[in-house]
Amino acid sequence: QVQLVESGGGLVQPGGSLRLSCAASGSMFSMYFMGWYRQAPGKQRELVATITSARSTNYADSVKGRFTISRDNAKNTVYLQMNSLKPEDTAVYYCNLGGPNGSWGQGTQVTVSS
């Protein structure tokens, strides 16, 4: 079972930036489809961004142009660079490996507030 550990969440003012990291255990990380999801209070978990083994990326419309997903296969790590943050980006952010039926991290809280 692959383990995923997220870090980098916190409190930031509107317009600010954060970078989330997700470190994966085990081998063959480079072969996996990776994603970031988020869940705000009272809402369903939603897809934020994904990246394939070939580094093809996809984003939710709400974060396009502001968020960037990337991966460093040498470090078994996937990142989510979040710029121009808005209060509506406040949520727990989860790292995912292998799609919704794959492995999940424990989540990291992102709060955007003045």
Side-chain angles (χ1 to χ4, degrees):
Q1 181 85 16
V2 174
Q3 291 189 329
L4 303 173
V5 179
E6 300 106 332
S7 61
L11 173 65
V12 63
Q13 292 186 342
S17 298
L18 282 174
R19 188 176 81 155
L20 305 183
S21 300
C22 172
S25 64
S27 59
M28 302 176 69
F29 171 82
S30 63
M31 298 178 62
Y32 284 104
F33 178 93
M34 301 295 299
W36 285 97
Y37 290 72
R38 67 187 181 187
Q39 187 167 17
K43 295 187 177 181
Q44 290 188 331
R45 190 173 297 188
E46 63 176 0
L47 177 68
V48 176
T50 61
I51 185 166
T52 70
S53 59
R55 302 180 189 272
S56 176
T57 59
N58 185 53
Y59 297 92
D61 287 343
S62 59
V63 307
K64 280 181 181 177
R66 300 188 298 123
F67 290 11
T68 303
I69 188 171
S70 62
R71 65 192 299 160
D72 184 338
N73 291 333
K75 296 182 178 180
N76 277 18
T77 300
V78 63
Y79 303 98
L80 185 68
Q81 178 67 43
M82 305 185 294
N83 298 329
S84 302
L85 283 160
K86 304 175 181 180
E88 51 263 44
D89 294 318
T90 295
V92 178
Y93 283 71
Y94 295 91
C95 178
N96 170 263
L97 178 148
N101 293 324
S103 299
W104 293 89
Q106 81 286 352
T108 185
Q109 177 70 46
V110 172
T111 302
V112 185
S113 175
S114 55

